[in-house]
Amino acid sequence: MDILNEHYNQMNRRHFLSRMSLGLGGAALGSLLGCSSNSTQEAAIDPMSGILDQLHFAPKAKRVIYLFQSGGPSQMDLFDYKPLLRKMHGEELPASIRMGQRLTGMTAGQSSFPLASSLFDFKQHGQSGAWVSDQMPYTAEIADELCFIKSMHTEAINHDPAITFFQTGSQQPGRPSMGSWLSYGLGSDNQNLPTFIVLLSRGAQRPQPIYSRLWGNGFLASLHQGVQFRSGKDPVLFLNNPEGINANTRRQVLDYLAKLNDIRMQDFGDPEIESRIAQYEMSYRMQTSVPDALDLSNEPDSVFEMYGEDARKPGTYAANCLLARRLAERDVKFIQLYHLGWDQHEDLPRELSSQCRDTDQASAALVKDLKQRGLLEDTLIVWGGEFGRTNYSQGRLTETNYGRDHHPRCFTIWMAGGGVKKGMTYGETDDFSYNIVKDPVHVHDFQATMLHLMGIDHEKLTFKHQGRRYRLTDVSGKIVNKIIA
């Protein structure tokens, strides 16, 4: 400390970082872990603690696993069975159904909107009698564990604003993501792993891009940002020590760095300095905890058989589902999986089948695996995309092929565990799967319900920024009480 005091006026913090072993690597890691923010409220030094002194409700879930199917899965090809479309295949979408509703630029110029029935077969499954397409045989096996919401709707009609809306509650970028809000409110149950972890996988199709701001902290303290785990030797970049640096040296550097940060904190009072200290400490602990969490060598063959052989291949959706279970066992609060490639504007029968093969078995296995380990009861699982697809064909319609454009008016998601009713279908669309006729659920309603299941009143989890109090659900959102067990 004497050395630090002696050189404090001669060497600023940036100079110190550039000379120490953390150097650029430490700065890069800080960036990956979210060490940048314009936070105006005090950040918690201890990542174990959230801003809420006590929960608003008795929680039904302790953690969330969100299986986000990016691109917009087609509801009438997977879960929303519409036999009338088969009878009217090739006929024009009635004007009384469309009612002049907004179209994307990709189909607004079409002179014809021929109805396209699904080429896939549907059957009812389980005691609940849920309709499931033959493209989802594994999901069909767990139908009685699921709560299907067939009346989701959103305001956005294009991918970027629609995904941003689901993840942050606003179509405009810059707001905190759902996982960040939970981290801010509840803190962590595991001080050795981030509260909010993100895993990405890609389908074989032409996926829309995914941006890291979707798991960003927005105006919250940077320690609440999601941390992306990658496949490969370095799941978190810059986490390992540089060559020639051992654990003892790194510990010493962190200790001295913390002292410098404490001095800066006293001088400037910037709460982001506390976030930076917490993130550097977390990165040190993650050097041990991350390899342990990602090591699948002790998983028995029966687990890989359950999830599918792709679970042995890092970076696949199946492998990420298995990792999600391992992270749930370690009490990570919010686990976000993004699987890209559900944007079937053309050649839907082939491309959708490919996406289902990639995801169906592993999604169902995750539900089964958590249930057999006693974790499903307090783990909320969500499966769904940012919007649905049109009942009419984009482009040329044939007897064996069609495409579908974006459709925000109605689509289907499913939820499981974590306090939602199982074996239930909520909401209803018309015979064309175009408009909602019963129990609509808006994106903000979904977000309010998710927070409720975690014990949070969505109207009370707020953050004051630039003179205004913000929340995940903005100025709306109703809890969907009928789906809560």
Side-chain angles (χ1 to χ4, degrees):
M1 188 65 183
D2 292 338
I3 296 175
L4 293 178
N5 287 331
E6 178 182 348
H7 293 285
Y8 176 69
N9 292 323
Q10 288 77 31
M11 181 170 61
N12 62 29
R13 186 161 164 265
R14 184 183 300 275
H15 188 202
F16 177 79
L17 277 172
S18 69
R19 292 199 168 209
M20 299 304 293
S21 60
L22 287 178
L24 294 175
L29 175 63
S31 175
L32 285 168
L33 293 179
C35 293
S36 61
S37 171
N38 59 350
S39 169
T40 58
Q41 285 183 203
E42 183 176 358
I45 300 176
D46 181 5
M48 292 281 288
S49 61
I51 199 70
L52 299 178
D53 294 330
Q54 60 183 13
L55 294 174
H56 306 124
F57 314 106
K60 293 180 178 292
K62 291 177 60 179
R63 65 194 71 83
V64 177
I65 301 176
Y66 196 161
L67 309 176
F68 194 83
Q69 312 301 315
S70 177
S74 173
Q75 72 277 8
M76 75 282 294
D77 288 292
L78 297 176
F79 305 116
D80 200 14
Y81 177 51
K82 297 299 176 183
L84 180 63
L85 290 180
R86 188 155 294 179
K87 295 179 182 178
M88 297 183 63
H89 183 82
E91 297 183 26
E92 283 294 308
L93 170 64
S96 60
I97 299 300
R98 182 187 161 196
M99 296 184 292
Q101 290 166 359
R102 179 186 179 194
L103 304 178
T104 75
M106 291 170 283
T107 54
Q110 288 189 192
S111 59
S112 176
F113 299 93
L115 294 170
S117 67
S118 177
L119 288 181
F120 308 126
D121 291 328
F122 279 76
K123 291 183 180 178
Q124 289 179 284
H125 295 271
Q127 295 181 350
S128 63
W131 288 99
V132 182
S133 162
D134 61 5
Q135 298 302 296
M136 291 281 193
Y138 293 94
T139 301
E141 292 177 1
I142 61 166
D144 286 342
E145 296 291 339
L146 307 182
C147 175
F148 292 96
I149 301 178
K150 295 188 176 181
S151 53
M152 286 298 308
H153 64 102
T154 182
E155 298 163 17
I157 200 169
N158 290 312
H159 294 288
D160 192 349
I163 298 175
T164 304
F165 194 32
F166 249 105
Q167 301 304 308
T168 71
S170 171
Q171 294 185 50
Q172 300 299 320
R175 301 281 185 88
S177 57
M178 285 190 289
S180 295
W181 278 111
L182 284 176
S183 174
Y184 165 68
L186 302 179
S188 175
D189 295 326
N190 185 335
Q191 64 180 352
N192 297 319
L193 286 169
T195 310
F196 176 16
I197 292 176
V198 177
L199 301 165
L200 270 63
S201 57
R202 293 178 178 270
Q205 317 312 322
R206 301 170 296 281
Q208 292 289 326
I210 286 289
Y211 306 101
S212 59
R213 60 175 168 75
L214 295 173
W215 51 93
N217 55 293
F219 42 68
L220 298 177
S222 59
L223 62 88
H224 302 302
Q225 178 173 323
V227 177
Q228 182 183 347
F229 281 17
R230 296 165 170 81
S231 59
K233 293 192 300 182
D234 294 317
V236 180
L237 297 179
F238 309 108
L239 184 64
N240 295 326
N241 292 326
E243 185 177 350
I245 301 299
N246 58 31
N248 289 334
T249 302
R250 186 181 179 102
R251 181 69 266 168
Q252 290 177 337
V253 169
L254 286 175
D255 290 341
Y256 279 115
L257 186 60
K259 291 175 183 178
L260 277 181
N261 279 319
D262 284 339
I263 294 171
R264 286 291 190 185
M265 181 63 187
Q266 294 170 16
D267 288 348
F268 299 105
D270 182 0
E272 193 57 32
I273 295 174
E274 294 182 336
S275 291
R276 190 175 291 273
I277 294 172
Q279 292 288 40
Y280 279 134
E281 290 297 327
M282 172 64 77
S283 70
Y284 181 76
R285 297 191 296 271
M286 284 168 60
Q287 287 187 323
T288 300
S289 61
V290 168
D292 174 69
L294 303 187
D295 181 10
L296 305 182
S297 61
N298 291 327
E299 294 286 349
D301 289 340
S302 58
V303 167
F304 292 106
E305 292 171 2
M306 181 189 303
Y307 283 86
E309 281 303 305
D310 276 355
R312 299 183 186 273
K313 305 173 185 176
T316 62
Y317 180 80
N320 287 347
C321 282
L322 178 52
L323 289 178
R325 187 266 287 167
R326 293 177 63 85
L327 294 172
E329 288 179 307
R330 289 159 173 78
D331 286 323
V332 174
K333 186 74 67 180
F334 196 89
I335 306 158
Q336 176 89 62
L337 275 65
Y338 290 93
H339 186 69
L340 286 65
W342 290 92
D343 192 26
Q344 283 86 39
H345 288 274
E346 57 187 23
D347 201 11
L348 182 143
R350 181 185 64 83
E351 292 189 359
L352 188 75
S353 294
S354 175
Q355 288 292 104
C356 291
R357 286 193 298 271
D358 286 344
T359 59
D360 174 43
Q361 182 175 357
S363 298
L366 179 60
V367 175
K368 294 177 183 177
D369 202 3
L370 290 172
K371 183 177 182 180
Q372 71 184 11
R373 295 169 190 272
L375 289 169
L376 183 60
E377 183 177 348
D378 58 8
T379 302
L380 176 64
I381 303 178
V382 182
W383 186 103
E386 66 267 36
F387 41 52
R389 313 302 296 195
T390 55
N391 57 13
Y392 60 82
S393 179
Q394 176 178 341
R396 184 167 177 262
L397 172 68
T398 72
E399 290 298 319
T400 59
N401 198 13
Y402 51 88
R404 300 193 190 276
D405 199 3
H406 310 162
H407 188 63
R409 300 287 300 180
C410 63
F411 56 104
T412 301
I413 69 170
W414 60 254
M415 305 169 75
V420 298
K421 291 180 180 178
K422 58 184 183 179
M424 178 184 186
T425 294
Y426 183 81
E428 186 179 338
T429 61
D430 60 22
D431 289 336
F432 296 86
S433 192
Y434 196 92
N435 296 298
I436 295 169
V437 296
K438 182 180 179 182
D439 297 327
V441 179
H442 185 263
V443 172
H444 284 146
D445 301 336
F446 160 75
Q447 293 163 340
T449 304
M450 183 199 72
L451 291 179
H452 180 86
L453 292 168
M454 297 292 287
I456 298 173
D457 184 336
H458 71 104
E459 295 183 347
K460 295 180 179 179
L461 182 62
T462 62
F463 187 93
K464 190 174 183 180
H465 174 63
Q466 295 182 342
R468 178 196 157 177
R469 294 194 179 276
Y470 288 85
R471 67 184 205 228
L472 174 61
T473 52
D474 199 30
V475 295
S476 58
K478 298 177 294 183
I479 297 169
V480 188
N481 287 299
K482 291 183 179 180
I483 71 168
I484 298 176

